[in-house]
Amino acid sequence: MNFPELIDQFAAANNVSKAVAKEHLRSAFGLVKEAVQKGSEVAIPDFGKFSKVTKPARNGRNPATGAPVAIPEKDIVKFKASSVFLG
């Protein structure tokens, strides 16, 4: 499902216009994004948890040449599905 399909289904399920549905979904996703960027964990019951994890710096290899490459640390988003997510 892509975002326009999600908007359509949200609008139909909540009896609102597509414009209102889009606004509400963007707002909700924006709040999740802001919280995770600040380092907070966002837990949504029966859905899952979003959290920010820092991957440490490490050494890797260039796959084309085999030369060593320094890979800097970076932040990633981790999602853990709820135990009831798939039923």
Side-chain angles (χ1 to χ4, degrees):
M1 174 184 305
N2 59 30
F3 193 62
E5 292 169 341
L6 181 61
I7 290 169
D8 291 344
Q9 289 192 12
F10 184 92
N14 293 286
N15 199 27
V16 296
S17 70
K18 289 182 184 180
V20 170
K22 183 177 180 179
E23 180 182 328
H24 286 285
L25 287 170
R26 285 199 185 275
S27 176
F29 293 147
L31 292 171
V32 170
K33 179 181 172 183
E34 286 176 20
V36 172
Q37 285 176 337
K38 291 178 183 175
S40 296
E41 180 179 273
V42 177
I44 302 169
D46 298 334
F47 187 75
K49 293 184 208 176
F50 295 90
S51 59
K52 181 169 89 170
V53 176
T54 301
K55 292 182 81 173
R58 61 189 172 89
N59 293 320
R61 295 220 172 262
N62 180 328
T65 65
V69 176
I71 302 170
E73 81 173 15
K74 68 177 182 175
D75 293 331
I76 62 166
V77 176
K78 179 180 175 185
F79 175 74
K80 182 172 181 184
S82 166
S83 62
V84 296
F85 187 77
L86 293 177

